[in-house]
Structure formats: structure tokens, C-alpha cells
Amino acid sequence: MQLSEQEQIRREKLEKIKALGIDPYPAPLYPVNASATEIKNNYQEEILEDGTKNRLNYQEVCIAGRLMATRPAGKATFAEIQDSTGRIQIYVRRDDICPTEDKTLYDTLFSKLLDLGDFVGIKGYAFKTKVGEISVHATGFTLLSKSLRPLPVVKKDEEGNIFDAFTDPEMRYRQRYVDLVVNEQVRDTFIKRTKMMNSIREFLNSKNALEVDTPVLQSIPGGAAARPFITHHNALDIPLYLRIANELYLKRLIVGGFDWVYEFSRNFRNEGMDRTHNPEFTVLEFYVAYKDYFWMMETTEQLLEKVALDTNGNTYVQVGENMINFKAPYKRISIYDAIKTYTGFDVSEMEEDGLRDVCKQLKIEVDNSMGKGKLIDAIFGERCEHNYIQPTFIIDYPVEMSPLTKKHRSKNGLVERFELMINGKEIANAYSELNDPIDQRERFEDQLKLQERGDDEAMFIDQDFLRALEYGMPPTSGIGFGIDRLAMLLTNQASIQEVLFFPQMRPEK
RNA sequence: GAUUCCGUAGCUCAGCUGGUAGAGCAAUACACUUUUAAUGUAUGGGUCCUGGGUUCGAGUCCCAGCGGGAUCACCA
């Protein structure tokens, strides 16, 4: 392994530290009793009548973190310690930490053998410097872990301008640990993502929904139309697939008698990657017995309004150029009306031939494997979808594109389905679930016909799922939310890689 | 998968019509006991992504490969 000059120097320092009898990776816990942000937010002092200051709290603090900046000034040094809450300045004076004749601790260990990035513990007291910065005056320090690689040095001035930011996307994603250390806004994005997940759980748990786990390894990759990852189980000598969806398993649980189940499902799809697609991604699905898709629209509005508030403190979220308002209620527009609005064509009575003709006139590329459902989907996707910036429910899809959805109670040829569009993208997809086992079997058979026509994404038939439906499933409404995309919206990120800690990358050579 | 742009010091980046590599931060040494993008002086640090080719000579031009970004296709 070829070490850079700076790495060699750090290893030499490591040896010198050991030679001083100091363990650079000590085992004992460090008794941390305060954090950087906590001290900065709560420190108090008073000015007495004679003008002297009286410090009121944090007079015996013990903080720990990475050393991220030093400003030496002879026999004293200002430095910055970064912990999980942020940064705080520390003031280290030689004669305070070395009260005897022996000045090794300051002159050698602190001044020469510590590097930016090292973990240190600081004991001392909080005070305010003469320019007013709340800091910790060190009375002692402990090396907690030596860093052998230099971190990128990112500097910030008084106005918050950032210099030499660590921005290379490849390095940021491959070495996310570095990205998180030096880029505060990256850490904030992921904290928001977790807040969002917590808020969703809170909402669902408050309704007595049951969080469940269902199989990731499936012998039939059902519940969606997508290419699966395939693997092999040695003991059983059978192929297994990583799930593309968990829908059919959650419905089995509704058959089993639960009336509200949910799962944050990591799904896997063996398809292209781009700034809105990662091979593994997270979907929240929930299924509720005795409800329909109208109820689900109201529930979705309530959920998203709460989640936006909990995550950002506001129902308004700036996403790129757009200001999006998650405040309920959201508009509802049928897919046929949407197509009529943006293309002028009324496709509601059209069959396949008519739809192909419309696609031709609109210059939308189609191929022979596409049935009525896919053609309508193509028109909507090309001409309508991107126009719905504010949250909008697109409702009542044609039956051909929705093999798991109940037929519409009054509109022939349609199903009770909605997709929620936000910022021109689909965020959620929901149905009144199909619970008629005979109808479901026919829909699967139609999918088989599509497969024979060359549609390689048509759904597989799951016989056990049909068996479950035959035992009886109550009327149920279900929904799936693209959690990564929701996180992108709520954190104003244009790339899915920015909301996944470790996005998929080609392996390094 | 297609198109296009990019890959130079630990990090952020310069490097013109080809002439043997440069800055800031970081590092090293010295100075400095209230600094905050600390400062001053000095010093060291490079497989210019990899492999070919053209050329007297390639970081620079050409070809191939590897990796990444953007756009498109498939999809959520």
C-alpha cells in the first residue's frame, strides 16, 4: 500500500504517542456529560456590579468529538471540537493543562502529535471569549482515537460562505463517512429522513396499525410489474427472488384477520439506475380492512400534512423552483380528464386502435406489446404527469393497467385506484383492493396473455395468493408510498443518492 | 444500454496553439498566552485514472478501457 506523505507522518506520530506511554486507542469509556450545541444554547453568565463575570452553568463539562480546526497562538491554542450535535470552540492554555514543570502534554502531545480528525475528550468549563463566542476552557484532554487519514478541510467564514467544499459526488457516495463528517447539510438531510420515518410510524401507530415484517426472499416475485433480482437457495435447490413488492403478503395478513398492517419494505428491482432510481429502495405499504380508496385519499392527506409539519415545521416545502404545500385536501382528477386537459383527446371510450392513433398524433413512441392500459399510461406519463406540481390525486385508472385493483363501483372499464402526484412525479399508488378471487384469477390470466405478447414486466401468477383470497378477504384499501422520493421532496434533493446513505455504485477496482 | 461532459498533490481547483507541474487550504519547521477562513517566515509533497498510439517531445492530440456526473430509454 502506497501511503501519502501526510499518512506516513500520521503513522509516525502514532508511534511517538505510543512511545510516550499513551494508548492512541484507549478502551475505557469517556464520561461525556455535555454536547457542543447544548452548551452553546444554554450557557449563562452574569456580570457583577464590579464588572467581573460570573459563570453560571456548565462549569464541569466533559465533551468529546473530532478535532476539526486549530488556531495556535504560542502557549495557548483555540481549537474546534465537532460532536454529533455540531462544533464548539475550545481554549487550551499550556499552563492550565501542564501545571508542573513538565510541558510535554501541551508542547508535544497536543501541539505536535494531534491531527485534524483525531477524536479527543476535553474536560473543562464553559465560558464566553472576549469576542463573545461560547467556548470550553480545557483543564485536561484525552486522546480517544487517532486518525490516520487526513479529512478534506472545509472552511466557513462569518457569513457562512463555504470554502473548498467536499463536493465530488463519487467520493461523497463511496466515502459517505467522510461526507457526513465534513458536510453538515448532508447530516441534516439524513436526520430529516429519519424524522420523516418516525412521523409516519407515529401516525400509523396512533391509529393502531400493526407494523409487520414479510419475506424479502420470495419464490414468486409478485405485487408489481418489474424485473427481479434472482438468487438460489442451496439447501432447497430452488431459485428465489428478492422482492419487488410486498403487497401480496400484506394482503394475506388482512385475510388472516388483521385490519391495519404496514411495512417499510426494502424492494429490489433489476432495472436502470438514475437520479430517481436505485436498485434497492424503500416503499411504505399499508392495507386497511373495510375501507375504500376515497377513505384512503383522506388518510393520505392527513398523513402527509403531519409528516411535512413534523419534518420541516411547515406544510410548505421548497422543492427546486417550486413551493409545494402539503396542506390537505388535495385535488382529485380522473386520468381521462387529465388526458383531455393536456392533450385535448377524449380517450375514455377508445379501444386499443384508437389509442394507438392518438399516440401517433401526439408523437408518443409505442410498441406492439403494449395493451390498452400501457398506452393510456404512456399518454399520461408523457403529457400530463409533469404538470401536477401541487399534490394531486389522479383517480380511476383503466382496468388493464391495474391487475390487483377492484373494478369501479359505477364506471365501466375503470378501477378504483389513485396515484398521488407531487412535483410532477408519482409519490403514492393506492387501490380499493381486488378481493374477488375469481376476478383476480382472470386478471392474472390477462397478465399472462400480455407476457405472451412480449411484455416482460407482466405479473406472475401467485396461486397461494389466490387461495388466500378464496378463503375471503374483507373489502380493503391499500397504498404504497415511495419513501425515498418523499424524502427527496421533504429535503429538497434532486437525486435519490442524496437520501440514501450508501447508494449503489460500481465496485472500486 | 445510448449520448455527452469530467478524472492533475490529502481536499478544492489552475495548467493557452504540445516544450518536462502550479495556487489556496491541509502537512512539516520556527515565532506568537483570547483566536475564529487566525497570522508571519521557511520547507516538503504528484503513477497528471489505466493501457496503447502520433510526435524529437504528451497532463495537453488520437484510440481503447475503467470510474463518476448529466440527459435519454426501462422503471418507483
Side-chain angles (χ1 to χ4, degrees), chain A residues 480-500:
Chain A
F481 288 87
I483 288 298
D484 308 299
R485 291 187 176 179
L486 190 58
M488 287 166 66
L489 285 176
L490 292 174
T491 59
N492 189 17
Q493 294 296 337
S495 163
I496 197 170
Q497 298 171 109
E498 296 293 343
V499 300
L500 300 173

Side-chain angles (χ1 to χ4, degrees), chain A residues 41-295:
Chain A
N41 287 345
N42 301 322
Y43 172 72
Q44 287 182 320
E45 61 184 22
E46 61 183 2
I47 297 171
L48 300 178
E49 277 174 26
D50 63 359
T52 58
K53 278 192 213 164
N54 193 20
R55 299 185 296 264
L56 295 172
N57 55 6
Y58 294 109
Q59 292 309 286
E60 283 188 21
V61 298
C62 198
I63 58 169
R66 282 184 123 107
L67 186 65
M68 294 301 283
T70 55
R71 293 183 280 276
K75 295 171 185 65
T77 297
F78 285 95
E80 286 176 24
I81 295 290
Q82 176 174 300
D83 66 17
S84 68
T85 68
R87 286 193 188 190
I88 191 165
Q89 178 170 262
I90 59 166
Y91 179 52
V92 182
R93 201 156 57 180
R94 187 177 75 170
D95 297 340
D96 291 336
I97 60 166
C98 304
T100 64
E101 286 295 295
D102 180 8
K103 305 296 183 192
T104 313
L105 205 58
Y106 180 84
D107 286 346
T108 307
L109 183 62
F110 186 80
S111 296
K112 306 231 167 181
L113 299 179
L114 286 195
D115 284 299
L116 299 185
D118 288 352
F119 282 91
V120 293
I122 302 290
K123 283 193 166 74
Y125 57 89
F127 75 111
K128 203 183 252 183
T129 64
K130 73 178 182 193
V131 286
E133 176 147 355
I134 294 164
S135 309
V136 172
H137 190 129
T139 53
F141 79 94
T142 310
L143 173 60
L144 297 175
S145 182
K146 183 76 191 147
S147 160
L148 296 182
R149 273 177 196 265
L151 288 165
V153 179
V154 179
K155 295 204 174 189
K156 221 198 241 177
D157 71 10
E158 260 173 71
E159 284 124 40
N161 298 313
I162 296 171
F163 298 84
D164 299 334
F166 179 61
T167 52
D168 181 67
E170 179 170 5
M171 273 200 285
R172 287 185 49 234
Y173 302 150
R174 287 195 195 280
Q175 302 185 42
R176 182 69 90 182
Y177 35 86
V178 173
D179 193 26
L180 289 164
V181 171
V182 304
N183 288 327
E184 198 184 352
Q185 70 289 2
V186 172
R187 197 164 37 208
D188 291 345
T189 297
F190 286 100
I191 291 171
K192 263 192 190 177
R193 182 182 166 121
T194 297
K195 268 192 190 167
M196 176 190 93
M197 304 268 282
N198 289 346
S199 171
I200 294 169
R201 279 203 170 89
E202 236 176 75
F203 177 89
L204 292 168
N205 290 343
S206 76
K207 308 270 187 195
N208 288 320
L210 185 73
E211 183 167 11
V212 298
D213 282 309
T214 66
V216 175
L217 281 176
Q218 303 179 348
S219 53
I220 298 164
R227 268 183 301 180
F229 284 93
I230 185 164
T231 184
H232 184 261
H233 190 283
N234 289 341
L236 298 177
D237 192 24
I238 53 163
L240 285 176
Y241 303 87
L242 295 176
R243 70 178 165 201
I244 57 173
N246 61 348
E247 170 157 358
L248 302 187
Y249 283 94
L250 292 181
K251 285 183 183 171
R252 283 171 170 96
L253 296 179
I254 297 292
V255 170
F258 295 109
D259 58 14
W260 191 334
V261 291
Y262 74 95
E263 180 175 17
F264 285 97
S265 171
R266 189 67 65 91
N267 293 347
F268 304 82
R269 297 189 184 175
N270 203 343
E271 288 163 351
M273 292 162 60
D274 60 28
R275 70 177 211 284
T276 56
H277 298 84
N278 193 68
E280 57 182 290
F281 62 102
T282 303
V283 169
L284 163 71
E285 295 212 10
F286 62 83
Y287 290 80
V288 193
Y290 315 116
K291 306 300 184 190
D292 63 9
Y293 78 139
F294 290 114
W295 177 90

Side-chain angles (χ1 to χ4, degrees), chain A residues 465-478:
Chain A
F465 173 66
L466 289 170
R467 178 167 62 189
L469 288 191
E470 284 166 8
Y471 280 104
M473 183 172 89
T476 297
S477 187

